[in-house]
């Protein structure tokens, strides 16, 4: 009967300051402090879902190591590895992230999201955006009592995610698109990317 809340840590080695202010020193501290705090909040079923790109940074198992000693106590669970993020929106009442795209995706599905950093969709009121760590932890306390998102905010979130995803990448004759999926060999991807980029620089105009 408890609300199901997904905590979505980032890939810890990712560029944590490239998108603006973060309430924590880095993504790793954000994960550690959040897990330490929520283990004492027993009115919520917390599910921790490691970032799907963690494999790219050699970070497999880091999140489960952070949960050593507290996993499966009564309120904290590690998300199954084969659970697609799209399925999260079927059961979650709230999503917690630093500034992951999952926040605006959740809002577009009518699910509350709490962010610990700035994102391209910040300032539009579609996600909870605490101004300090204290305010962030206060919001975690209030998670069981969060009201369902109204349809007006959800519609705004849909507009924002459309603009964000459509305009996210500038189409270029020179710079190739790079998409890395789980299971891909990242070094091979980068070699292919730079090979194509170098060729384009010789043959095409900006």
């Amino acid at each position: 009967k408890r609300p199901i809340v997904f905590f979505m840590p980032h890939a810890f080695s990712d560029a944590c300051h490239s998108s603006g202010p973060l309430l924590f020193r880095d993504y790793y501290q954000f994960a550690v402090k959040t897990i330490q705090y929520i283990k004492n909040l027993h009115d919520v079923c917390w599910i921790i879902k490691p970032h799907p790109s963690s494999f790219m940074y050699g970070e497999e198992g880091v999140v489960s190591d952070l949960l050593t000693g507290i996993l499966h106590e009564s309120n904290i669970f590690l998300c199954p590895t084969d659970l697609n993020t799209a399925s999260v929106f079927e059961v979650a009442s709230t999503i917690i992230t630093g500034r992951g795209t999952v926040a605006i995706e959740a809002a577009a599905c009518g699910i509350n999201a709490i962010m610990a950093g700035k994102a391209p969709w910040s300032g539009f009121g579609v996600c909870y955006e605490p101004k300090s760590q204290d305010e962030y932890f206060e919001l975690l306390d209030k998670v069981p009592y969060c009201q369902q998102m109204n349809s007006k905010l959800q519609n705004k979130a849909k507009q924002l995610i459309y603009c964000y995803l459509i305009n996210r990448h500038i189409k270029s004759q020179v710079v190739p698109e790079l998409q890395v999926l789980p299971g891909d060999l990242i070094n091979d991807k980068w070699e292919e990317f730079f090979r194509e980029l170098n060729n384009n620089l010789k043959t095409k105009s900006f």
Side-chain angles (χ1 to χ4, degrees):
K1 297 181 179 179
R2 292 175 296 187
I4 297 174
V5 177
F6 278 79
F7 172 46
M8 320 283 266
H10 291 260
F12 303 129
S13 304
D14 205 353
C16 59
H17 300 294
S18 64
S19 302
L22 187 71
L23 297 181
F24 297 85
R25 181 193 65 207
D26 50 42
Y27 290 146
Y28 184 77
Q29 188 192 70
F30 165 58
V32 169
K33 289 199 170 187
T34 298
I35 290 169
Q36 287 174 345
Y37 195 82
I38 64 176
K39 71 180 182 182
N40 299 312
L41 301 179
H42 296 282
D43 292 336
V44 174
C45 177
W46 302 97
I47 301 180
I48 319 297
K49 190 176 190 307
H51 197 277
S53 67
S54 294
F55 76 97
M56 292 169 52
Y57 303 94
E59 295 176 358
E60 297 97 331
V62 175
V63 171
S64 58
D65 288 346
L66 291 178
L67 297 173
T68 300
I70 61 173
L71 203 56
H72 302 305
E73 278 189 353
S74 63
N75 64 326
I76 293 183
F77 303 89
L78 187 64
C79 186
T81 56
D82 60 350
L83 183 74
N84 190 288
T85 304
S87 299
V88 169
F89 306 133
E90 305 258 339
V91 295
S93 63
T94 305
I95 299 290
I96 298 170
T97 178
R99 54 166 131 259
T101 310
V102 69
I104 190 66
E105 291 170 345
C109 293
I111 299 168
N112 292 313
I114 299 173
M115 297 198 310
K118 292 290 184 182
W121 52 88
S122 290
F124 290 94
V126 297
C127 299
Y128 288 99
E129 299 182 56
K131 301 291 190 296
S132 66
Q133 286 190 26
D134 287 343
E135 191 178 335
Y136 168 73
F137 291 125
E138 286 175 11
L139 279 173
L140 298 188
D141 288 330
K142 296 174 182 176
V143 158
Y145 316 105
C146 281
Q147 299 295 315
Q148 189 174 5
M149 179 181 290
N150 65 56
S151 58
K152 187 175 180 180
L153 272 182
Q154 183 180 356
N155 192 48
K156 184 190 286 188
K158 289 179 179 179
Q159 296 173 41
L160 286 167
I161 194 172
Y162 176 83
C163 293
Y164 173 64
L165 292 178
I166 293 299
N167 295 316
R168 185 176 183 180
H169 299 291
I170 298 172
K171 299 296 181 184
S172 171
Q173 299 263 343
V174 177
V175 182
E177 290 189 18
L178 176 67
Q179 184 179 31
V180 181
L181 300 173
D184 288 345
L185 297 175
I186 185 63
N187 288 338
D188 291 350
K189 283 279 188 174
W190 278 118
E191 285 181 18
E192 179 185 342
F193 173 84
F194 283 113
R195 192 182 304 113
E196 186 178 348
L197 175 61
N198 287 331
N199 183 63
N200 290 346
L201 287 168
K202 296 173 186 176
T203 60
K204 298 179 181 179
S205 170
F206 278 103

